[in-house]
Amino acid sequence: MISSKFIKMPDAEYFSLSGLSASALKQFDKSPSHYKYYVNNKQDFVKAFLDGRVAHAKILENKDPKLIEYLACKSADDKSKIHDFFKKNISEDNFNTCFPGGKITASGRDQAFDIGNYYTEKEYENIMQMYKSVKNHPIGKHICNNQKNAELASFVTCPRTGLKLKAKFDYVPQSGNVLFDLKTIAEIKENKIKYTIKDLKYHIQACHYLYVAELANRKFDQFVFVFVEKKPPFGVLCVKLEDDFIIDCMDYYHTLLDNFALCKKMNDFSKCYDEDIKNVSFYLYT
């Protein structure tokens, strides 16, 4: 049964509330300076992020991607960026029609199709195909089972460091010990998927989610990424982090939290990369 500490809430409300998220912690893993820049500056609008959010809304909650609240996102900051995008690409005569009172309308969405470089019918069909692929997958289908279990947020306090932590879970199952996370990807390469997880620091995200869930009274022993391709054939690959790997990652994760807590106590996030010269070597033909 899902704990009362898991809450259904819009993205805008989640982002407005304090707490160290997995995204912020991944930036801190690069350097304290990267984290400082991340939290103090608005992130550039990247269409791929919006596409991923729309795909998540369809796959996890079976929301129609054509609904403008999902096309335009729930974040006020994202809406502002999309608003600016439309303003640059739509004629002034049509702008007020598309944005009465600053809110995007179905007419505004039609204009997006007209300019052809924002969100097309083909992209819409691709999202529908992604949804079908996940829903028809023997394992992936589990994250399509219950809309009430999707997109749940939790806010907890780390007992070791006193840090306020937060997480927005793609899907929290009613029962069982497996926590799932959905990832959209351009192309799945099975023999290189571990490098994708490492390079994008998904292992840190997994540890953060497992730890926050445990503090919210739901302990999960396994973590599975559900990767789905954004283009034909819309393949699905489910990847489970091995038990020993999770144990090692958790040690690293808690060290990361300790270091973050120290920087916060010292009020110093200025450090970037080491100033010493790094020695590098590698095998050329492996």
Side-chain angles (χ1 to χ4, degrees), residues 19-58:
L20 180 62
S21 68
S23 296
L25 193 59
K26 287 193 291 184
Q27 293 297 321
F28 181 79
D29 187 50
K30 296 178 184 178
S31 80
S33 182
H34 283 81
Y35 163 80
K36 182 178 179 180
Y37 182 85
Y38 175 80
V39 297
N40 290 335
N41 294 272
K42 290 184 177 180
Q43 305 305 304
D44 292 336
F45 173 69
V46 179
K47 183 174 177 297
F49 293 161
L50 176 60
D51 292 342
R53 195 172 299 177
V54 174
H56 274 62
K58 177 60 185 176

Side-chain angles (χ1 to χ4, degrees), residues 40-91:
N40 290 335
N41 294 272
K42 290 184 177 180
Q43 305 305 304
D44 292 336
F45 173 69
V46 179
K47 183 174 177 297
F49 293 161
L50 176 60
D51 292 342
R53 195 172 299 177
V54 174
H56 274 62
K58 177 60 185 176
I59 295 170
L60 299 170
E61 301 179 275
N62 197 21
K63 297 287 187 180
D64 186 349
K66 288 186 176 180
L67 290 176
I68 208 63
E69 63 173 313
Y70 287 91
L71 173 64
C73 298
K74 300 173 186 176
S75 161
D77 188 39
D78 282 345
K79 285 183 178 180
S80 174
K81 292 170 183 174
I82 295 170
H83 180 282
D84 293 342
F85 176 90
F86 273 77
K87 193 169 185 178
K88 292 178 181 177
N89 289 278
I90 297 177
S91 67

Side-chain angles (χ1 to χ4, degrees), residues 175-234:
S175 59
N177 66 339
V178 182
L179 188 58
F180 292 93
D181 190 69
L182 175 66
K183 298 296 184 189
T184 59
I185 188 171
E187 180 182 6
I188 292 173
K189 297 179 181 179
E190 287 191 69
N191 61 333
K192 294 185 177 181
I193 199 69
K194 64 181 179 181
Y195 300 112
T196 299
I197 293 173
K198 179 178 182 294
D199 290 345
L200 297 178
K201 301 183 183 294
Y202 288 161
H203 57 299
I204 293 177
Q205 176 194 350
C207 289
H208 186 75
Y209 284 8
L210 289 169
Y211 187 54
V212 171
E214 182 176 358
L215 293 178
N217 300 327
R218 273 300 303 274
K219 182 172 175 56
F220 295 94
D221 298 321
Q222 301 179 52
F223 197 98
V224 173
F225 291 108
V226 180
F227 288 93
V228 57
E229 292 177 323
K230 296 187 284 187
K231 60 184 181 180
F234 306 102

Side-chain angles (χ1 to χ4, degrees), residues 156-170:
V156 297
T157 300
C158 173
R160 291 176 58 251
T161 64
L163 292 172
K164 303 293 184 181
L165 309 177
K166 68 177 183 178
K168 188 82 179 284
F169 301 89
D170 281 349

